[in-house]
Structure formats: structure tokens, C-alpha cells
Amino acid sequence: MKKVVLLVIMSCLGLMAWASVPETRIFNVVDGDTLKMDIYRTPSDNKTLRPAVIFAFGGGFTGGSRDNDEYKEYFDFLCDNEVVVISIDYRTSLVKKAAPGALTSVDGFTASLMTAVTDAVTDFCTATGFVLQHAVEWGIDPDKIVASGSSAGAITALQAEYSLANGQIPAGVFPANFNYAAVVSFAGAICCEGTPVWTSVPCPMMLFHGDADRNVPYETLSAGAMGLCGSKTIASGLASCKVPCEFYTFLGADHSIAVSPMHDDLYTILGFIRRVCDGQQSTALDAVRFVPGASDDYQKNFSISDYIKANL
């Protein structure tokens, strides 16, 4: 009996160890950057294809890494629950491509941010195309690919879906009629003129955001003709389109919501992924959570200068 128990424990430990050590692939080389992805998956015979999450890290488009330990619990939890996770590189070009002195002015920062977002979205879509090419090999259902990200990575994932729904992705990047199954965003936003307008119906979304976030706006930050529309604005637009959206507001919370749900809300996220991948997500949820210890008069309105300072 002891031998049987020991074998079971060893087998479980072996699976956990296997899941925590990803396979790394190069998916593109651009602007001198070698872009890689880490694939987290448990052994499979590929007969039953699984959902997958493509994840983009945070870092204000100036840095960050796909293997940051802050995300490991999220990756391992999904992997242990039969979801393949692909954590990707993307170009962080906000500072690298900015003209001298550009980041010190509102117009210069806005232009540089748009360039950085465009680069990141291009890389996210290239990575998605690479995953689709290897979907069967990796045991992934190509109709059940979820875009996810933290902070700048959440902006990237949301912007990828926004571009896809509005026909802004070049032909040939994705198969015809491809769409993400869902977006899971941790403190993200969409860059656009005015408020987001969807030419075609976007996928369901799960949005987490604190209303005291000075890094990524919770509502909308306008800078000339361009705006950075946060989770509250996105959720309102999706509701008017009758697109399923689970929106979680954390009252008094700052940019920590870019990471904390990946530790505190794992089962909530898994439930959402399973529902959308099973075609059962048909309702909207607007939930409010209170942050313990937050004062009644916390700041939640920030200027563009506040956001620039917070991110640089």
C-alpha cells in the first residue's frame, strides 16, 4: 500500500514539475529583437484539443518579461486545469523609438505610445498566428484561444481584439473568420479616437480594474484626438452592443489590479474561460469590490501628466 501511495505522489509531483517547465520557441525576429514564447502544457495525446490563453506581460511598453514570477501561479493553475498557456515576448518600444525629447510633451508621448502599441499588437498577432500553425501539434483547439495580458500587455490583448473586430489586421495573418474566444484583461485599455466603436461583434471579455489606477485609466483619458479608454468605458460600450462582459471594479485600488486577480481570482477566471469556450457565456456582470483600508476620499481623477509620470 505504501508503495502505491508513493507512486501516486511521485506521479503527481512529476506532472506538476512538467507543467511548471515550459517549452520555449522563437516565433519572430523583428527590429533586431528575437521574440520568444513559453508554452505551458501538460502531456496530451492531442485527441482532445484544449483551450489556450496567449498572455502578454506588463511593463509600460518600456520593459517586462514573459517569465515574470508574478504570473507563474496564473500559468500553472490554468495549465493544471487543462488550459494551455502561451506567454509571449513583444517589442517594448515606447522609449526605444521615441524621438529625442518626445516623451516630455503630451503630443510626443501620445505619438510614441501609439507606435509602441502598434508594435506590441503586431507581435501579439504574429504570435497568435504562430500558435494557430502549431495548434494541433500542441493539443490546442484553434476556436478556443483566449487573449490575455497585464497592464501594457492587457492594452495589447484588448487592442488586438479591437483591431481584429474593426478589420485592421492585414490579410493573411489569421485564417478567414478567426476571432479570439475571449479577452481576459488585468488593468487594460484601448487606444482609439473618441470611444471604442466595433465594426463587427467582438468576443466576450473579462475586465479587472481599480478605479484609483494612475498607470492605466479606469475610464477615459483624452490626449488630443486620441483617447485611452479603460475598462469602465470598454464595458459600457460592450453592454450597448449586447456583448457578454464580466467587469470587476475594485474601489480604491491602484495599478496592483494588473496582477492581484492572477492570485486571488483564479477560479473566477477559469469559470469564465470554460463558459466562453463551451459557448455558454451569454450574460453581462458588473461587479464592485471594496479594497480594505481604502479611504473614502481617495484620488481617482488623474491628468495626462499624472499618467506620464506614473509610467516613466
Side-chain angles (χ1 to χ4, degrees):
M1 182 64 183
K2 290 182 178 179
K3 289 183 178 180
V4 172
V5 173
L6 181 61
L7 285 172
V8 171
I9 293 173
M10 290 177 66
S11 297
C12 291
L13 290 174
L15 283 174
M16 290 173 65
W18 200 98
S20 64
V21 179
E23 174 188 357
T24 300
R25 295 279 191 101
I26 295 173
F27 69 89
N28 200 17
V29 178
V30 59
D31 290 343
D33 290 332
T34 299
L35 303 180
K36 300 178 181 180
M37 59 173 59
D38 293 334
I39 306 106
Y40 297 78
R41 58 194 177 105
T42 53
S44 170
D45 58 11
N46 291 349
K47 292 181 180 178
T48 302
L49 300 181
R50 306 171 183 177
V53 169
I54 300 178
F55 181 83
F57 59 81
F61 298 104
T62 63
S65 64
R66 70 181 188 279
D67 56 356
N68 189 316
D69 286 341
E70 289 186 314
Y71 312 135
K72 196 67 165 46
E73 184 179 1
Y74 180 48
F75 297 167
D76 285 346
F77 176 81
L78 292 178
C79 189
D80 288 344
N81 284 279
E82 302 298 314
V83 178
V84 179
V85 177
I86 302 100
S87 184
I88 70 160
D89 285 335
Y90 62 89
R91 283 168 290 170
T92 52
S93 56
L94 179 61
V95 174
K96 294 176 185 176
K97 290 190 175 181
L103 299 180
T104 61
S105 70
V106 171
D107 289 343
F109 179 84
T110 303
S112 299
L113 177 62
M114 286 305 303
T115 297
V117 171
T118 299
D119 283 350
V121 170
T122 298
D123 297 338
F124 194 91
C125 292
T126 300
T128 302
F130 189 87
V131 171
L132 288 168
Q133 291 172 14
H134 296 274
V136 174
E137 174 190 347
W138 296 343
I140 294 172
D141 187 331
D143 294 324
K144 298 178 180 180
I145 294 178
V146 176
S148 182
S150 168
S151 189
I155 293 173
T156 300
L158 286 165
Q159 197 77 31
E161 172 61 15
Y162 186 70
S163 300
L164 183 57
N166 286 293
Q168 297 167 355
I169 304 296
V173 175
F174 298 135
N177 301 318
F178 170 80
N179 196 8
Y180 294 102
V183 174
V184 177
S185 164
F186 306 103
I190 290 173
C191 297
C192 61
E193 296 184 12
T195 56
V197 176
W198 306 92
T199 302
S200 61
V201 179
C203 64
M205 298 189 188
M206 171 175 264
L207 311 172
F208 295 91
H209 218 130
D211 70 342
D213 192 332
R214 67 169 63 236
N215 292 75
V216 178
Y218 168 72
E219 295 189 58
T220 297
L221 175 68
S222 297
M226 296 304 299
L228 194 58
C229 301
S231 299
K232 183 176 181 180
T233 302
I234 296 169
S236 297
L238 294 177
S240 65
C241 298
K242 298 186 180 343
V243 174
C245 175
E246 294 192 13
F247 174 37
Y248 294 85
T249 294
F250 293 75
L251 297 181
D254 57 16
H255 200 54
S256 61
I257 304 304
V259 173
S260 60
M262 286 184 270
H263 304 290
D264 302 334
D265 295 278
L266 291 171
Y267 284 97
T268 301
I269 296 166
L270 178 64
F272 172 78
I273 291 173
R274 284 179 170 170
R275 287 193 298 277
V276 295
C277 289
D278 290 342
Q280 299 175 358
Q281 187 70 19
S282 59
T283 59
L285 174 66
D286 191 345
V288 176
R289 297 183 183 178
F290 296 90
V291 177
S295 65
D296 294 334
D297 59 348
Y298 61 89
Q299 184 179 359
K300 56 183 179 180
N301 295 313
F302 303 99
S303 68
I304 188 167
S305 296
D306 293 326
Y307 287 110
I308 292 173
K309 289 177 182 177
N311 285 289
L312 295 178

mmCIF file of all heavy atoms in Angstrom, residues 31 60-63 90-98 103 108-124 152 155-156 159 191:
data_model
loop_
_atom_site.group_PDB
_atom_site.id
_atom_site.type_symbol
_atom_site.label_atom_id
_atom_site.label_comp_id
_atom_site.label_asym_id
_atom_site.label_seq_id
_atom_site.Cartn_x
_atom_site.Cartn_y
_atom_site.Cartn_z
ATOM 1 N N ASP A 31 13.098 44.085 -35.858
ATOM 2 C CA ASP A 31 13.813 45.236 -35.290
ATOM 3 C C ASP A 31 15.012 44.810 -34.449
ATOM 4 O O ASP A 31 15.366 45.460 -33.465
ATOM 5 C CB ASP A 31 12.876 46.093 -34.424
ATOM 6 C CG ASP A 31 11.835 46.842 -35.239
ATOM 7 O OD1 ASP A 31 12.033 46.958 -36.468
ATOM 8 O OD2 ASP A 31 10.844 47.308 -34.655
ATOM 9 N N GLY A 60 4.615 48.802 -19.005
ATOM 10 C CA GLY A 60 4.520 50.165 -19.518
ATOM 11 C C GLY A 60 5.103 50.360 -20.900
ATOM 12 O O GLY A 60 5.445 51.485 -21.281
ATOM 13 N N PHE A 61 5.233 49.290 -21.678
ATOM 14 C CA PHE A 61 5.829 49.324 -23.018
ATOM 15 C C PHE A 61 7.291 49.774 -22.986
ATOM 16 O O PHE A 61 7.837 50.199 -23.997
ATOM 17 C CB PHE A 61 5.026 50.205 -23.984
ATOM 18 C CG PHE A 61 3.624 49.723 -24.218
ATOM 19 C CD1 PHE A 61 2.539 50.358 -23.612
ATOM 20 C CD2 PHE A 61 3.374 48.624 -25.028
ATOM 21 C CE1 PHE A 61 1.237 49.909 -23.811
ATOM 22 C CE2 PHE A 61 2.077 48.163 -25.235
ATOM 23 C CZ PHE A 61 1.019 48.811 -24.629
ATOM 24 N N THR A 62 7.910 49.674 -21.800
ATOM 25 C CA THR A 62 9.341 50.009 -21.686
ATOM 26 C C THR A 62 10.164 48.828 -21.202
ATOM 27 O O THR A 62 11.393 48.866 -21.272
ATOM 28 C CB THR A 62 9.560 51.177 -20.710
ATOM 29 O OG1 THR A 62 9.147 50.798 -19.389
ATOM 30 C CG2 THR A 62 8.778 52.413 -21.142
ATOM 31 N N GLY A 63 9.517 47.786 -20.697
ATOM 32 C CA GLY A 63 10.245 46.630 -20.176
ATOM 33 C C GLY A 63 9.267 45.534 -19.807
ATOM 34 O O GLY A 63 8.127 45.509 -20.265
ATOM 35 N N TYR A 90 7.030 40.614 -26.738
ATOM 36 C CA TYR A 90 6.641 41.603 -27.743
ATOM 37 C C TYR A 90 7.586 42.785 -27.589
ATOM 38 O O TYR A 90 8.228 42.960 -26.554
ATOM 39 C CB TYR A 90 5.168 42.025 -27.599
ATOM 40 C CG TYR A 90 4.812 42.687 -26.287
ATOM 41 C CD1 TYR A 90 4.912 44.072 -26.119
ATOM 42 C CD2 TYR A 90 4.368 41.937 -25.199
ATOM 43 C CE1 TYR A 90 4.585 44.677 -24.915
ATOM 44 C CE2 TYR A 90 4.047 42.532 -23.993
ATOM 45 C CZ TYR A 90 4.151 43.905 -23.860
ATOM 46 O OH TYR A 90 3.837 44.510 -22.658
ATOM 47 N N ARG A 91 7.695 43.589 -28.634
ATOM 48 C CA ARG A 91 8.602 44.730 -28.581
ATOM 49 C C ARG A 91 8.095 45.782 -27.589
ATOM 50 O O ARG A 91 6.935 46.160 -27.623
ATOM 51 C CB ARG A 91 8.743 45.352 -29.971
ATOM 52 C CG ARG A 91 9.634 44.578 -30.914
ATOM 53 C CD ARG A 91 9.482 45.085 -32.333
ATOM 54 N NE ARG A 91 8.179 44.749 -32.897
ATOM 55 C CZ ARG A 91 7.696 45.224 -34.036
ATOM 56 N NH1 ARG A 91 8.423 46.090 -34.741
ATOM 57 N NH2 ARG A 91 6.514 44.842 -34.486
ATOM 58 N N THR A 92 8.984 46.238 -26.721
ATOM 59 C CA THR A 92 8.662 47.300 -25.766
ATOM 60 C C THR A 92 9.363 48.562 -26.246
ATOM 61 O O THR A 92 10.449 48.900 -25.805
ATOM 62 C CB THR A 92 9.116 46.910 -24.354
ATOM 63 O OG1 THR A 92 10.495 46.519 -24.390
ATOM 64 C CG2 THR A 92 8.302 45.737 -23.834
ATOM 65 N N SER A 93 8.716 49.268 -27.165
ATOM 66 C CA SER A 93 9.404 50.300 -27.946
ATOM 67 C C SER A 93 9.033 51.734 -27.586
ATOM 68 O O SER A 93 9.348 52.661 -28.337
ATOM 69 C CB SER A 93 9.148 50.060 -29.440
ATOM 70 O OG SER A 93 7.775 50.015 -29.731
ATOM 71 N N LEU A 94 8.364 51.949 -26.428
ATOM 72 C CA LEU A 94 7.948 53.308 -26.088
ATOM 73 C C LEU A 94 9.132 54.263 -26.021
ATOM 74 O O LEU A 94 9.103 55.349 -26.601
ATOM 75 C CB LEU A 94 7.208 53.311 -24.745
ATOM 76 C CG LEU A 94 6.732 54.685 -24.252
ATOM 77 C CD1 LEU A 94 5.744 55.308 -25.227
ATOM 78 C CD2 LEU A 94 6.101 54.579 -22.867
ATOM 79 N N VAL A 95 10.178 53.866 -25.337
ATOM 80 C CA VAL A 95 11.363 54.712 -25.207
ATOM 81 C C VAL A 95 12.301 54.536 -26.395
ATOM 82 O O VAL A 95 12.854 55.505 -26.924
ATOM 83 C CB VAL A 95 12.101 54.413 -23.895
ATOM 84 C CG1 VAL A 95 13.417 55.190 -23.819
ATOM 85 C CG2 VAL A 95 11.224 54.756 -22.693
ATOM 86 N N LYS A 96 12.443 53.290 -26.852
ATOM 87 C CA LYS A 96 13.400 52.985 -27.918
ATOM 88 C C LYS A 96 13.136 53.757 -29.202
ATOM 89 O O LYS A 96 14.066 54.198 -29.886
ATOM 90 C CB LYS A 96 13.384 51.480 -28.224
ATOM 91 C CG LYS A 96 13.883 50.603 -27.089
ATOM 92 C CD LYS A 96 13.735 49.129 -27.457
ATOM 93 C CE LYS A 96 14.109 48.229 -26.301
ATOM 94 N NZ LYS A 96 13.875 46.792 -26.626
ATOM 95 N N LYS A 97 11.864 53.930 -29.545
ATOM 96 C CA LYS A 97 11.525 54.557 -30.824
ATOM 97 C C LYS A 97 11.095 56.021 -30.690
ATOM 98 O O LYS A 97 10.787 56.664 -31.690
ATOM 99 C CB LYS A 97 10.427 53.755 -31.529
ATOM 100 C CG LYS A 97 10.896 52.405 -32.052
ATOM 101 C CD LYS A 97 9.850 51.774 -32.953
ATOM 102 C CE LYS A 97 10.370 50.481 -33.571
ATOM 103 N NZ LYS A 97 9.360 49.871 -34.476
ATOM 104 N N ALA A 98 11.066 56.522 -29.468
ATOM 105 C CA ALA A 98 10.639 57.912 -29.271
ATOM 106 C C ALA A 98 11.713 58.873 -29.764
ATOM 107 O O ALA A 98 12.910 58.644 -29.567
ATOM 108 C CB ALA A 98 10.356 58.167 -27.794
ATOM 109 N N LEU A 103 8.973 62.345 -25.176
ATOM 110 C CA LEU A 103 8.194 61.854 -24.047
ATOM 111 C C LEU A 103 7.929 62.920 -22.982
ATOM 112 O O LEU A 103 7.220 62.672 -22.006
ATOM 113 C CB LEU A 103 8.894 60.648 -23.416
ATOM 114 C CG LEU A 103 9.079 59.440 -24.342
ATOM 115 C CD1 LEU A 103 9.785 58.300 -23.616
ATOM 116 C CD2 LEU A 103 7.733 58.954 -24.873
ATOM 117 N N GLY A 108 3.962 64.377 -27.920
ATOM 118 C CA GLY A 108 5.056 63.444 -28.182
ATOM 119 C C GLY A 108 4.841 62.122 -27.495
ATOM 120 O O GLY A 108 5.087 61.052 -28.077
ATOM 121 N N PHE A 109 4.361 62.164 -26.260
ATOM 122 C CA PHE A 109 4.093 60.920 -25.528
ATOM 123 C C PHE A 109 2.988 60.127 -26.213
ATOM 124 O O PHE A 109 3.092 58.911 -26.374
ATOM 125 C CB PHE A 109 3.698 61.224 -24.085
ATOM 126 C CG PHE A 109 3.393 59.992 -23.275
ATOM 127 C CD1 PHE A 109 4.410 59.271 -22.674
ATOM 128 C CD2 PHE A 109 2.082 59.549 -23.126
ATOM 129 C CE1 PHE A 109 4.129 58.124 -21.927
ATOM 130 C CE2 PHE A 109 1.791 58.413 -22.386
ATOM 131 C CZ PHE A 109 2.828 57.702 -21.786
ATOM 132 N N THR A 110 1.920 60.826 -26.630
ATOM 133 C CA THR A 110 0.803 60.148 -27.282
ATOM 134 C C THR A 110 1.244 59.461 -28.574
ATOM 135 O O THR A 110 0.890 58.302 -28.828
ATOM 136 C CB THR A 110 -0.321 61.152 -27.591
ATOM 137 O OG1 THR A 110 -0.732 61.785 -26.376
ATOM 138 C CG2 THR A 110 -1.512 60.460 -28.221
ATOM 139 N N ALA A 111 2.023 60.161 -29.385
ATOM 140 C CA ALA A 111 2.501 59.580 -30.641
ATOM 141 C C ALA A 111 3.406 58.389 -30.381
ATOM 142 O O ALA A 111 3.317 57.351 -31.060
ATOM 143 C CB ALA A 111 3.241 60.642 -31.455
ATOM 144 N N SER A 112 4.281 58.515 -29.393
ATOM 145 C CA SER A 112 5.202 57.428 -29.061
ATOM 146 C C SER A 112 4.446 56.221 -28.509
ATOM 147 O O SER A 112 4.783 55.067 -28.808
ATOM 148 C CB SER A 112 6.245 57.904 -28.046
ATOM 149 O OG SER A 112 7.015 58.957 -28.569
ATOM 150 N N LEU A 113 3.412 56.495 -27.700
ATOM 151 C CA LEU A 113 2.606 55.403 -27.158
ATOM 152 C C LEU A 113 1.896 54.651 -28.270
ATOM 153 O O LEU A 113 1.859 53.414 -28.272
ATOM 154 C CB LEU A 113 1.586 55.953 -26.161
ATOM 155 C CG LEU A 113 0.611 54.933 -25.562
ATOM 156 C CD1 LEU A 113 1.359 53.864 -24.774
ATOM 157 C CD2 LEU A 113 -0.426 55.624 -24.678
ATOM 158 N N MET A 114 1.343 55.369 -29.238
ATOM 159 C CA MET A 114 0.651 54.710 -30.341
ATOM 160 C C MET A 114 1.602 53.826 -31.142
ATOM 161 O O MET A 114 1.237 52.732 -31.568
ATOM 162 C CB MET A 114 -0.005 55.754 -31.249
ATOM 163 C CG MET A 114 -1.248 56.391 -30.655
ATOM 164 S SD MET A 114 -2.499 55.176 -30.152
ATOM 165 C CE MET A 114 -2.770 54.294 -31.676
ATOM 166 N N THR A 115 2.838 54.301 -31.337
ATOM 167 C CA THR A 115 3.837 53.480 -32.039
ATOM 168 C C THR A 115 4.125 52.214 -31.254
ATOM 169 O O THR A 115 4.196 51.111 -31.819
ATOM 170 C CB THR A 115 5.142 54.278 -32.235
ATOM 171 O OG1 THR A 115 4.876 55.405 -33.073
ATOM 172 C CG2 THR A 115 6.221 53.426 -32.879
ATOM 173 N N ALA A 116 4.282 52.360 -29.933
ATOM 174 C CA ALA A 116 4.583 51.206 -29.089
ATOM 175 C C ALA A 116 3.431 50.207 -29.080
ATOM 176 O O ALA A 116 3.652 48.980 -29.145
ATOM 177 C CB ALA A 116 4.900 51.669 -27.670
ATOM 178 N N VAL A 117 2.199 50.710 -28.999
ATOM 179 C CA VAL A 117 1.031 49.830 -29.002
ATOM 180 C C VAL A 117 0.929 49.091 -30.338
ATOM 181 O O VAL A 117 0.650 47.888 -30.383
ATOM 182 C CB VAL A 117 -0.258 50.621 -28.717
ATOM 183 C CG1 VAL A 117 -1.492 49.752 -28.939
ATOM 184 C CG2 VAL A 117 -0.241 51.165 -27.287
ATOM 185 N N THR A 118 1.169 49.797 -31.425
ATOM 186 C CA THR A 118 1.123 49.167 -32.752
ATOM 187 C C THR A 118 2.146 48.041 -32.861
ATOM 188 O O THR A 118 1.842 46.952 -33.370
ATOM 189 C CB THR A 118 1.372 50.208 -33.852
ATOM 190 O OG1 THR A 118 0.347 51.207 -33.792
ATOM 191 C CG2 THR A 118 1.374 49.569 -35.230
ATOM 192 N N ASP A 119 3.365 48.285 -32.388
ATOM 193 C CA ASP A 119 4.398 47.242 -32.401
ATOM 194 C C ASP A 119 3.969 46.038 -31.574
ATOM 195 O O ASP A 119 4.102 44.879 -32.003
ATOM 196 C CB ASP A 119 5.716 47.787 -31.848
ATOM 197 C CG ASP A 119 6.471 48.667 -32.832
ATOM 198 O OD1 ASP A 119 6.073 48.698 -34.017
ATOM 199 O OD2 ASP A 119 7.441 49.323 -32.414
ATOM 200 N N ALA A 120 3.452 46.308 -30.370
ATOM 201 C CA ALA A 120 3.052 45.221 -29.476
ATOM 202 C C ALA A 120 1.909 44.395 -30.066
ATOM 203 O O ALA A 120 1.932 43.158 -30.019
ATOM 204 C CB ALA A 120 2.652 45.789 -28.119
ATOM 205 N N VAL A 121 0.923 45.072 -30.641
ATOM 206 C CA VAL A 121 -0.210 44.363 -31.242
ATOM 207 C C VAL A 121 0.246 43.531 -32.444
ATOM 208 O O VAL A 121 -0.197 42.388 -32.638
ATOM 209 C CB VAL A 121 -1.316 45.354 -31.643
ATOM 210 C CG1 VAL A 121 -2.386 44.670 -32.495
ATOM 211 C CG2 VAL A 121 -1.947 45.971 -30.408
ATOM 212 N N THR A 122 1.124 44.102 -33.251
ATOM 213 C CA THR A 122 1.670 43.347 -34.387
ATOM 214 C C THR A 122 2.325 42.061 -33.912
ATOM 215 O O THR A 122 2.110 40.985 -34.487
ATOM 216 C CB THR A 122 2.694 44.203 -35.157
ATOM 217 O OG1 THR A 122 2.035 45.366 -35.673
ATOM 218 C CG2 THR A 122 3.306 43.419 -36.309
ATOM 219 N N ASP A 123 3.111 42.157 -32.843
ATOM 220 C CA ASP A 123 3.803 40.977 -32.318
ATOM 221 C C ASP A 123 2.821 39.990 -31.692
ATOM 222 O O ASP A 123 2.988 38.772 -31.823
ATOM 223 C CB ASP A 123 4.863 41.395 -31.297
ATOM 224 C CG ASP A 123 5.955 42.252 -31.916
ATOM 225 O OD1 ASP A 123 6.144 42.185 -33.147
ATOM 226 O OD2 ASP A 123 6.617 43.000 -31.176
ATOM 227 N N PHE A 124 1.800 40.507 -31.012
ATOM 228 C CA PHE A 124 0.790 39.633 -30.413
ATOM 229 C C PHE A 124 0.056 38.846 -31.498
ATOM 230 O O PHE A 124 -0.182 37.643 -31.359
ATOM 231 C CB PHE A 124 -0.201 40.465 -29.603
ATOM 232 C CG PHE A 124 -1.085 39.669 -28.684
ATOM 233 C CD1 PHE A 124 -0.705 39.424 -27.374
ATOM 234 C CD2 PHE A 124 -2.302 39.161 -29.118
ATOM 235 C CE1 PHE A 124 -1.516 38.686 -26.511
ATOM 236 C CE2 PHE A 124 -3.120 38.423 -28.275
ATOM 237 C CZ PHE A 124 -2.726 38.179 -26.967
ATOM 238 N N ALA A 152 0.299 46.958 -19.699
ATOM 239 C CA ALA A 152 0.612 47.171 -21.116
ATOM 240 C C ALA A 152 0.235 45.943 -21.936
ATOM 241 O O ALA A 152 -0.213 46.049 -23.083
ATOM 242 C CB ALA A 152 2.089 47.501 -21.293
ATOM 243 N N ILE A 155 -3.468 46.079 -22.481
ATOM 244 C CA ILE A 155 -3.735 47.007 -23.588
ATOM 245 C C ILE A 155 -3.483 46.303 -24.913
ATOM 246 O O ILE A 155 -4.276 46.414 -25.859
ATOM 247 C CB ILE A 155 -2.853 48.262 -23.467
ATOM 248 C CG1 ILE A 155 -3.248 49.079 -22.227
ATOM 249 C CG2 ILE A 155 -2.960 49.134 -24.724
ATOM 250 C CD1 ILE A 155 -2.330 50.252 -21.933
ATOM 251 N N THR A 156 -2.399 45.541 -24.977
ATOM 252 C CA THR A 156 -2.041 44.829 -26.203
ATOM 253 C C THR A 156 -3.111 43.815 -26.589
ATOM 254 O O THR A 156 -3.536 43.746 -27.752
ATOM 255 C CB THR A 156 -0.685 44.126 -26.019
ATOM 256 O OG1 THR A 156 0.322 45.110 -25.730
ATOM 257 C CG2 THR A 156 -0.291 43.351 -27.256
ATOM 258 N N GLN A 159 -6.313 45.657 -27.591
ATOM 259 C CA GLN A 159 -6.127 46.354 -28.868
ATOM 260 C C GLN A 159 -6.080 45.366 -30.027
ATOM 261 O O GLN A 159 -6.546 45.678 -31.132
ATOM 262 C CB GLN A 159 -4.839 47.180 -28.831
ATOM 263 C CG GLN A 159 -4.751 48.243 -29.920
ATOM 264 C CD GLN A 159 -5.620 49.463 -29.610
ATOM 265 O OE1 GLN A 159 -5.819 49.802 -28.452
ATOM 266 N NE2 GLN A 159 -6.099 50.124 -30.641
ATOM 267 N N CYS A 191 -6.707 52.048 -27.224
ATOM 268 C CA CYS A 191 -6.345 53.340 -27.830
ATOM 269 C C CYS A 191 -7.224 53.569 -29.055
ATOM 270 O O CYS A 191 -7.253 52.721 -29.958
ATOM 271 C CB CYS A 191 -4.880 53.347 -28.248
ATOM 272 S SG CYS A 191 -3.708 53.158 -26.900
#
